[in-house]
Structures are given as C-alpha cells and as structure tokens.
Amino acid sequence: MKVLILGADGYLGWPTCLYFSQRDHEVIGVDNYFRRNAAIELDCESLIPAANLHQRSKIWEEITGRKIKVHIGDVTNYEFLLSIFREYNPDAVIHYAEQPSAPYSMINRDKAAFTLQNNLISTLNIVYAVKEANPECHIIKIGTMGEYGTPNIDIEEGWLEIEHKGRKDKFLFPRQTGSLYHTTKIQDTDMLWFYVRTWGITVTDLMQGPVYGLSTDECDLDPRLMPFFHYDEIFGTVLNRFVVQAVAGYPLTVYGKGNQTRGFLNLKDTMQCVYLSATQPAERGQLRIFNQLTELFSVNQLANKVKQIGDKLGYNVKVEQIENPRVEKEEHYYNIAYSGLLDLGLKPHYLTDEILESFFAIADNYKNCINRNAFLKGIKWK
Amino acid sequence: MKVLILGADGYLGWPTCLYFSQRDHEVIGVDNYFRRNAAIELDCESLIPAANLHQRSKIWEEITGRKIKVHIGDVTNYEFLLSIFREYNPDAVIHYAEQPSAPYSMINRDKAAFTLQNNLISTLNIVYAVKEANPECHIIKIGTMGEYGTPNIDIEEGWLEIEHKGRKDKFLFPRQTGSLYHTTKIQDTDMLWFYVRTWGITVTDLMQGPVYGLSTDECDLDPRLMPFFHYDEIFGTVLNRFVVQAVAGYPLTVYGKGNQTRGFLNLKDTMQCVYLSATQPAERGQLRIFNQLTELFSVNQLANKVKQIGDKLGYNVKVEQIENPRVEKEEHYYNIAYSGLLDLGLKPHYLTDEILESFFAIADNYKNCINRNAFLKGIKWK
C-alpha cells in the first residue's frame, strides 16, 4: 500500500511513518515544521531534541534499509499538495497536518485564526486533491473525542438515531467542544460528511482521546528515532506532562477539581488503530467513525497513578489542584461506546505500572533538559 | 441604538441600513465590495445598476436628511474591524459579510477555500472584536435554514432535547447541509456556540430561508435606493430568478423534479426580523436561534405561481424541468417550527398575487438589461 502521511514530523506522524514502513508499505511523509517552529516561538520545545524529517528518514534507512520519502511543504498550499498526490497517487492519506493544541487555539485572535484556517483549509485541500487525483484514495482523518464534549447521554460511535415526535432519522452524534481547536475538528467532520454525501469520497474519522507514551517497536530501535516529547501546557498531553513534572520535582498540575474524565490510549495503540483503519478501509462513499481510546481515567486518577509510581521510584511526587485555566465541567457523566476498533483487531496496551515505570525511565534520562517554565504558560480560556 | 452593519452593500445589507436609519438609529455600514467584484468576474451583475455605497448613502441623506456612515474594508482584516468597533462602540453588529452563494462555493477549490476562509474568519473576528471592545455588544448573525437540510424529523427552532438510553440532554438541532457554503454556516453556529459558552457573549443566529422581492418602504423612496437584483444561477434566489426568466421569455429552470420544499420570506420581512432581533436582544450570554421564514413552497409551487401571474400579464411563461445540478433530495419530509419571530412581533407579508405582480412590474422596467447567459452558468455539484 502507498500511504501519504501529512504531518509526518509530529508526535503521532513520525511513529506512524515508521509503523507503515516497517510493514512493507511505501510511505511518503509531508510536513511544514509548524510544530517545531511554534514550540521555539513559545519556548516549549520537545524534551528530546529530534533530527529533522530528512535526517530522521536517513537514520531509519541506515538502520532498517527502508526508505521513507520526505517532502517539506504546507498542506494548505493546494498546488503543492496536488503535486504530491499526482506524483505518488497514494491508496490512503493520513491527515495529521493540523494545529493540534487546545491552549494554542485560545492564546489570542491570531492563533485562533491560524488554527481555523490551517485545519479547515488543509482538510478541504485533501478532499479536492483526492477528487482530482484519485477519488478512491481513502482519507484517514484524526478527529478527537473532544468533539463530543461531555454530554449527559451515552456517547455512541459517531452516529445517533434520533426519534422525535414519532419520526426517526440518523445524524452525526451531537457535538459541543471545549476549545476553538476542538471546534475545528467538529467543523472538519461536518465538511467531510458533506463531501462524502456529495462526491462519494471515502473517509475514516478517528475520534481519538489523549495519547500518552513514547515507545513503539520501531522508535525503540534507536534513540534518534524517538518521537517529539512535549510535556508543556501547550503541546504536552496530560500524562506525558505529569510524568515529566514528577521527574522534575514539580507538583502535578491538576486543573480544578480533577474529576474531568477522558478516554486515553497508548501511542502504540494509536499506531494500531490507524494501521487497522488503513488496511481495512471504509467502504467507498462511507464516512466511518471510530472512537479511538482504550480506557477511561479522571485527571485525579492519572495524577494518583503517577504519584504512586513516582513515589515508589523515589521521586516524592506532589499533586496540586490549581485554578482551572479552561472552561470545562469538572464533574460530569461520561460513558462511551468504543467497540469499532476492537472489532477490527485492536489489542490494547493498558496503562500498567510497568508501562508507567518505563515511561519514568525515559523522562529521567533527559531530566537535565527539562524546562520548568514550560509547565505553566498562563494561557487562560477567559 | 448604534448598529454596525457588515456586508452593508448587499441585497439584504443595504435595505437593512435604510430600515434602521429611518427608525432613528445610528447606522455604520461596512463592505469590501466582494459581491460586486464577484458578479463582474462571473458575468452575472445585478439587473439594476447600483451606485456604490458612499454614493447610495449620499442619496439617502439627500432624500431623508439622515446620515449612514460608510467604511470600505474587509471584515477578515482584524485590525480594520477592531478599529471600527473602537471608533463606534456599537450596541449591535449585524453580520451579513459572508460569501452567500451555494453555487459559488461549489465552482472549484479556490472558491470553496475563499468561502471557508471568508465566512469563518469574519465570524471569528467579530467575536474577538466584541470581546476586546465591548462584550455586551449583541451579535446578530445571518444563518440559513439550509443548515438543517431536509431531515426526516420535525425541525425545531435551533435546539433539540434528546432522550437516549434513559438519559437526556439538549443540543443544537442536528444539521447536514447541501453545499459547502451552507456547511460554513453550520461551522459558524458551532463556533459562536463555543464562544457563547466560554466567554458569555450574546448572539442571535437567524436561520433564514430564501428571500425574495426588492421592495421596502425605504428603498421605494427612490429608484436609486433599490437593492441589488440578482437573477442569475449564482447569486439570484429562486423566486427572483423565476420572475426575471418569465419577463425575458426564458423557461423557468426547475431543478429536477421540483418537489424540493423550502421556507421563504419577503425582503420586507427580513427587515422586520433583523430589527425585532436587535431591539429585543438575546439575553446576555445566550445563543438565541430563530427560524426565519414565513411560508413554505416547493420549487414547483413557486414556478406555477410565477407562470400563472406571468401568463395573466401576457408573458406566456414556460416551465422546464432541467437536470438537477445540485445533490439534494427532490422528495422529502419538511415540517418546521418558526414561531419565535412571530412571538417577537413579526407581521408577515405573504406571497400574494399583488406582490408578485408588482415584482413583475419592476423586472419589466429593466427588461432590456437582462443577461440571458446568467440564468445557467453550468455549475454542477458533482
């Protein structure tokens, strides 16, 4: 299979390139280094310095003999994207090329406008490039569980049949988010659904929960192949941040009461989910939606787990409830259907003590590189 | 009241300026002439040439002694928009400054990208300008009934309480549209709803059906005050197009079977609806949604009405069912709640024979200016 990976330099994009490449697929990786540049601008770079995408792909080739083709360019530039589609004619395109941070989207007007424009124009361009170059190309899009927010009803897998005044119809599950970034993901889904109905394109939209971890079988082959390790308020997901805070002797920053519950998954499981989606594609003209998570935790539960393991390893971890910078419910109902990817063959890596300990070991290796100013950047929703 | 009208040059924007001005409100009109320029580019200009916004505002002053302040500029330019908010500190902002055509949004990638970018960045900028300059300013946004599409359940007024597996919650009514343009209106609503919840801004979102007519008490004062009269495939709403086709001896172009049903309203009623919304604002921190229409017609019913009146006036009107360029259901359920604006005091002008006859009279005056090539521009959804 020929797979075009957009956002190939990212936390998920890079390990995805390796995962497909290792399994004998032809991988073309595209990135515009947005994340690297934004992390420099905002002083919250990855804990582990990463070689650029060309260099990393050479390291991969050196170790495995496998080639990943790399193009540096911006997916919001349609001529560029279309030229890539025409050159390679991929069977599947995996779209990670979005501004992925909720806090980033709430910094100011310019960052909000960038998020809107980048995320929606990139998705639109992919739809048009697929239509022009190869309408059979399967679009795999990373959505977010955040699209649903925290409704007071059970969250189904993408769709809901509604009965109203004795009549029925099926709709996208109702969605209301907690940030402008998450709102762009709702907007993406609505736009993809329109073009699926109108043009018969083929889309899998993966409603992913927060991902944690750094280890995949491929990344573990060489330290130079590790993905970005963001642990800051802007680009770091919560568990990654907590582990680094624990190692740094910084209190774990729990927002508000900490009873906010989300669905999490290990980086290894993101790899599986995307791979299973690509190799068992949606039907032609279908918008297929999966809820991509393996287990639920509240923020307090995660903090307690990190404290427990951290204390055992001798870090003397403190947990601190700080004023919530976000506008979100701190107590809410949360019950989610997520059987679709399990049915495709996902074998979850649950958050065991061993996994958490190995994660501490990685962070400890880079202890001296931790920038304590990155934990709290002072971005507030209001 | 001080009212900022964005998109003040348009079919709805200009008569709205006059309507508020005539009622002693201070009106500031802003436009970037997008519509004029697009109509020149696509060879589908208004039937009636219109003086530019500065000139029209001078004509209005000459006739009534009332001033409308005019600024030419682009609402997607945040510095410009914020300077307008700071200069005038309006009590309400009426947002017509969007690319308003479904066919335009389906022409090609560039027009689609323009529609996305223009409509969403303009709405985002208004939200930010309101937050920075005056969080109490009431945002009145023109949405579209097209957001709902044609679901198989009754369409409520913006919201739906859903019961699912024994639990309940209230959500935005499910929406799925028939064009990229309409999709941007869904995206607008989701974005506004996010900022209403997060920042407590105040919004009225008017889900408007297709508007017809050219006459308002103010526009009728002088022929030079008439709004744009678009009758083409791109910017002309269906009834306006049919009347001009009838006058031109061109068959009325019914798309497909013609049983597509929509909710319509007279231009005079758009004025009332927007005015009632402004003078009886939403509550602080509320997203208030009204369905803005006064009666339902299928396309066939409209064509038959136009034929009946046209034949009576001696035009010998033909009706032709042409291949539907759009992707839409030609037979569907359609039952809509629209009591909110009636409760505020709307007095509908229904589509009577007299109104239709007077509409024919206007079109007949400009018979020699009709560009028959504008009726069908060949834009297809697929």
Side-chain angles (χ1 to χ4, degrees), chain A residues 66-330:
Chain A
R66 299 176 187 278
K67 277 186 205 292
I68 292 171
K69 294 214 179 68
V70 168
H71 290 266
I72 302 307
D74 192 331
V75 174
T76 67
N77 175 339
Y78 185 60
E79 295 310 314
F80 165 72
L81 183 68
L82 184 61
S83 75
I84 298 283
F85 268 85
R86 292 214 193 281
E87 183 173 350
Y88 296 103
N89 194 23
D91 303 296
V93 52
I94 301 171
H95 178 20
Y96 291 117
E98 300 213 337
Q99 190 298 95
S101 159
Y104 185 93
S105 74
M106 300 302 293
I107 292 176
N108 58 29
R109 203 286 330 184
D110 288 356
K111 301 277 194 264
F114 174 83
T115 303
L116 256 183
Q117 136 91 24
N118 180 77
N119 293 5
L120 294 176
I121 300 292
S122 64
T123 301
L124 179 77
N125 282 355
I126 292 164
V127 167
Y128 262 91
V130 161
K131 182 178 179 241
E132 283 201 42
N134 175 13
E136 294 188 19
C137 178
H138 179 205
I139 299 173
I140 299 169
K141 166 79 182 54
I142 305 301
T144 164
M145 282 301 297
E147 292 192 31
Y148 303 120
T150 52
N152 193 41
I153 61 174
D154 285 9
I155 297 175
E156 303 300 333
E157 206 142 5
W159 304 92
L160 185 64
E161 182 165 274
I162 294 177
E163 186 169 344
H164 179 53
K165 296 184 178 166
R167 302 181 61 90
K168 280 184 190 173
D169 204 347
K170 196 178 111 180
F171 300 96
L172 285 168
F173 193 91
R175 289 151 297 149
Q176 50 189 13
T177 64
S179 80
L180 182 72
Y181 151 71
H182 290 100
T183 302
T184 65
K185 295 284 192 172
I186 295 184
Q187 294 168 323
D188 270 339
T189 301
D190 280 307
M191 190 160 68
L192 289 167
W193 177 217
F194 166 67
Y195 285 115
V196 163
R197 296 198 310 280
T198 306
W199 290 348
I201 59 172
T202 304
V203 177
T204 297
D205 199 345
L206 296 170
M207 302 301 171
Q208 186 176 244
V211 181
Y212 60 83
L214 284 173
S215 164
T216 71
D217 290 346
E218 298 76 30
C219 291
D220 292 350
L221 289 174
D222 189 295
R224 296 172 298 165
L225 295 176
M226 283 181 76
F228 288 150
F229 188 176
H230 284 284
Y231 57 93
D232 60 276
E233 178 187 340
I234 300 169
F235 294 115
T237 53
V238 56
L239 185 61
N240 292 10
R241 188 166 73 238
F242 281 173
V243 169
V244 177
Q245 288 175 329
V247 166
Y250 193 100
L252 312 191
T253 48
V254 170
Y255 295 166
K257 290 186 196 154
N259 292 320
Q260 305 92 308
T261 300
R262 300 289 183 269
F264 292 83
L265 74 166
N266 189 304
L267 180 61
K268 289 180 177 172
D269 294 342
T270 292
M271 299 301 105
Q272 284 190 74
C273 291
V274 171
Y275 191 77
L276 290 165
S277 298
T279 51
Q280 299 171 67
E283 291 183 23
R284 186 79 197 271
Q286 185 193 2
L287 170 60
R288 179 175 65 166
I289 300 177
F290 293 125
N291 293 343
Q292 185 162 316
L293 60 145
T294 62
E295 53 194 328
L296 299 184
F297 298 109
S298 72
V299 176
N300 284 333
Q301 286 173 323
L302 283 184
N304 291 338
K305 268 181 185 285
V306 170
K307 179 174 167 47
Q308 186 202 324
I309 299 298
D311 285 349
K312 184 177 140 196
L313 297 172
Y315 291 101
N316 185 24
V317 180
K318 301 236 176 329
V319 177
E320 198 179 317
Q321 291 189 343
I322 63 170
E323 193 192 337
N324 196 336
R326 305 188 175 203
V327 175
E328 61 184 1
K329 286 187 190 148
E330 294 173 8

Side-chain angles (χ1 to χ4, degrees), chain B residues 14-201:
Chain B
W14 174 242
T16 303
C17 289
L18 303 191
Y19 196 92
F20 278 82
S21 180
Q22 183 73 335
R23 284 157 185 78
D24 296 328
H25 300 289
E26 188 179 337
V27 174
I28 306 102
V30 169
D31 209 288
N32 67 347
Y33 293 146
F34 157 74
R35 171 87 75 108
R36 286 178 189 256
N37 294 326
I40 291 168
E41 179 200 341
L42 298 163
D43 191 20
C44 58
E45 289 181 77
S46 171
L47 182 58
I48 303 169
N52 75 32
L53 196 51
H54 287 294
Q55 294 161 343
R56 292 207 271 184
S57 122
K58 290 221 176 74
I59 295 164
W60 175 247
E61 190 179 345
E62 176 195 310
I63 294 169
T64 64
R66 298 176 186 280
K67 279 184 203 293
I68 293 172
K69 295 218 178 67
V70 168
H71 290 267
I72 301 307
D74 192 331
V75 174
T76 67
N77 177 338
Y78 184 61
E79 295 310 314
F80 165 72
L81 183 68
L82 185 60
S83 74
I84 297 283
F85 268 85
R86 292 216 193 278
E87 184 172 349
Y88 296 103
N89 194 23
D91 303 296
V93 52
I94 302 172
H95 179 20
Y96 291 118
E98 300 213 334
Q99 190 298 95
S101 160
Y104 185 94
S105 74
M106 299 303 292
I107 292 176
N108 58 32
R109 201 286 331 182
D110 289 356
K111 301 277 194 266
F114 174 82
T115 303
L116 257 182
Q117 137 91 23
N118 180 78
N119 293 5
L120 295 175
I121 299 294
S122 64
T123 301
L124 179 77
N125 283 355
I126 292 165
V127 168
Y128 262 91
V130 162
K131 183 181 179 237
E132 283 202 41
N134 175 13
E136 293 189 17
C137 178
H138 179 204
I139 300 173
I140 299 170
K141 166 80 181 54
I142 306 301
T144 165
M145 284 298 299
E147 291 190 32
Y148 302 120
T150 52
N152 193 43
I153 61 174
D154 285 8
I155 297 175
E156 302 301 334
E157 206 142 5
W159 304 93
L160 185 65
E161 182 165 272
I162 293 176
E163 185 169 346
H164 178 54
K165 296 183 179 167
R167 301 181 62 88
K168 280 185 190 174
D169 204 345
K170 195 179 111 180
F171 301 96
L172 286 168
F173 192 92
R175 290 151 297 150
Q176 50 188 12
T177 64
S179 79
L180 182 71
Y181 150 72
H182 290 100
T183 302
T184 65
K185 296 284 192 170
I186 296 184
Q187 294 168 324
D188 271 338
T189 301
D190 280 307
M191 192 161 66
L192 288 167
W193 177 219
F194 165 68
Y195 285 115
V196 163
R197 296 197 310 281
T198 306
W199 290 347
I201 58 171

Side-chain angles (χ1 to χ4, degrees), chain B residues 299-343:
Chain B
V299 176
N300 284 333
Q301 285 173 324
L302 283 184
N304 290 338
K305 268 181 185 285
V306 170
K307 180 176 167 46
Q308 187 202 322
I309 300 298
D311 285 349
K312 184 178 139 194
L313 297 171
Y315 291 101
N316 185 24
V317 180
K318 300 236 176 331
V319 177
E320 199 179 315
Q321 292 190 341
I322 63 170
E323 194 191 336
N324 196 336
R326 305 187 175 205
V327 176
E328 62 184 0
K329 286 187 191 150
E330 294 173 8
E331 311 269 2
H332 58 88
Y333 181 74
Y334 207 54
N335 192 32
I336 308 169
Y338 53 101
S339 60
L341 287 160
L342 294 167
D343 292 346

